[in-house]
């Protein structure tokens, strides 16, 4: 029998991740979108954890269990990205945000972190928030209690392994709002709040960069939490224009933690 070393396993995982990234873009979070990964058992990341722990979730007294927007009286907005899809597009969006002095929030899918573990630290090193968007990006609200718990905790485990923290936020997959069961399970996993949004860019429908830009800018206002996605060229086209117009309006693009602090 041939002995398979841990190095062999890491090489195989990274080779497979490259083929996946080259083959397809991710689906959006609409319930009728295509599932980007099959329902196979999650695989653990083989990369070592980082030395310094990332920020942990925070509770905000007086705020509801599900947060859709921040204070309307402050000139700040949070651009939140569903973390899945082509890593080159993800890096492009991170770089564009940083060029404009903006910080964003990334809700990462666990299988995406398995495929691209280096992106967890890339996000944090850029001064951005990193959170949990379930392990496989399935319709978590429709699952049994046991399966929904696994979807939440498996992604939390990936984040802990890579960053030393379960991430600052949890957002349900395939739904803008979490069911009462999922809210309870998220709280049990260590997330005091579920992060929703009040502006949906609809970028995952691939309407074109101009349409994404108009949708966001027509609806955004102080305190808004905007839903966007990694993995779509339309989002790359829209982001510079969105950031420039937000600055023109005197609205700072900050992390969700900053928005609620």
């Amino acid at each position: 029998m041939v002995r398979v070393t841990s190095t062999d396993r890491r090489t195989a995982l990274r080779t497979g991740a490259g083929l996946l990234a080259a083959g397809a873009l991710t689906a959006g979070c609409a319930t009728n979108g295509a599932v980007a990964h099959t329902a196979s058992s999650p695989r653990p990341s083989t990369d070592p954890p980082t030395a310094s722990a990332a920020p942990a979730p925070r509770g905000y007294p007086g705020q509801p269990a599900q947060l859709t927007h921040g204070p309307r009286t402050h000139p700040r907005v949070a651009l939140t990205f569903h973390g899945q899809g082509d890593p080159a597009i993800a890096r492009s969006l991170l770089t564009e945000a940083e060029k404009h002095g903006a910080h964003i929030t990334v809700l990462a899918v666990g299988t995406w972190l398995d495929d691209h573990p280096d992106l967890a630290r890339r996000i944090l090193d850029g001064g951005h928030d990193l959170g949990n968007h379930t392990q496989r990006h399935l319709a978590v609200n429709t699952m049994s209690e046991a399966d929904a718990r696994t979807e939440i905790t498996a992604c939390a485990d990936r984040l802990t392994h890579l960053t030393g923290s379960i991430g600052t936020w949890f957002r349900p997959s395939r739904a803008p709002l979490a069911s009462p069961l999922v809210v309870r399970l998220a709280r049990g996993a260590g997330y005091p709040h579920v992060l929703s949004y009040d502006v949906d860019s609809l970028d995952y429908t691939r309407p074109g960069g101009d349409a994404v830009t108009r949708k966001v800018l027509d609806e955004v206002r102080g305190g808004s939490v905007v839903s966007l996605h990694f993995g779509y060229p339309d989002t790359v086209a829209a982001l510079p224009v969105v950031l420039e117009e937000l600055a023109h309006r005197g609205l700072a693009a900050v992390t969700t933690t900053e928005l609620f602090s």
Side-chain angles (χ1 to χ4, degrees):
M1 180 179 293
V2 178
R3 181 172 179 268
V4 179
T5 67
S6 60
T7 301
D8 295 329
R9 285 192 293 269
R10 283 195 296 268
T11 301
L13 284 174
R14 288 166 180 160
T15 301
L19 293 173
L20 283 172
L25 293 175
T26 179
C29 282
T31 54
N32 61 350
V35 176
H37 288 267
T38 63
S40 58
S41 297
R43 68 178 184 272
S45 172
T46 58
D47 290 75
T50 54
S52 57
R58 295 171 54 183
Y60 297 91
Q63 293 287 349
Q66 301 204 62
L67 301 173
T68 57
H69 64 82
R72 296 299 190 189
T73 54
H74 298 301
R76 297 179 292 189
V77 300
L79 304 180
T80 67
F81 289 78
H82 302 231
Q84 197 178 17
D86 185 345
I89 291 180
R91 292 187 181 94
S92 177
L93 288 164
L94 290 165
T95 299
E96 189 63 38
E98 290 154 11
K99 280 171 53 180
H100 286 81
H103 292 127
I104 65 175
T105 299
V106 180
L107 293 312
V109 175
T111 50
W112 187 69
L113 293 174
D114 286 340
D115 291 344
H116 313 291
D118 60 301
L119 281 172
R121 183 49 57 184
R122 168 66 183 87
I123 291 163
L124 293 171
D125 286 348
H128 312 291
D129 271 3
L130 178 62
N132 179 334
H133 196 35
T134 74
Q135 177 59 21
R136 294 174 295 161
H137 200 256
L138 305 177
V140 67
N141 283 346
T142 68
M143 292 180 173
S144 68
E145 180 170 349
D147 288 345
R149 180 183 289 110
T150 297
E151 282 296 304
I152 297 167
T153 59
C155 186
D157 289 345
R158 295 321 188 264
L159 288 162
T160 300
H161 180 81
L162 292 169
T163 73
S165 165
I166 63 172
T168 47
W169 300 97
F170 169 76
R171 173 173 285 170
S173 47
R174 305 277 172 188
L177 294 171
S179 67
L181 170 63
V182 171
V183 170
R184 176 168 61 82
L185 294 175
R187 186 181 299 115
Y191 302 97
H193 304 279
V194 170
L195 180 62
S196 184
Y197 45 87
D198 65 319
V199 179
D200 188 348
S201 70
L202 300 179
D203 56 350
Y204 60 88
T205 65
R206 299 178 174 89
D210 289 344
V212 173
T213 300
R214 286 194 302 271
K215 184 73 163 60
V216 172
L217 294 178
D218 284 351
E219 298 180 15
V220 72
R221 55 192 176 115
S224 282
V225 177
V226 182
S227 172
L228 295 148
H229 291 76
F230 285 168
Y232 296 93
D234 291 353
T235 317
V236 177
L239 186 60
V241 183
V242 168
L243 289 171
E244 289 166 9
E245 179 59 22
L246 289 177
H248 180 72
R249 296 180 187 182
L251 295 172
V254 300
T255 66
T256 314
T257 298
E258 293 175 285
L259 183 70
F260 286 99
S261 297

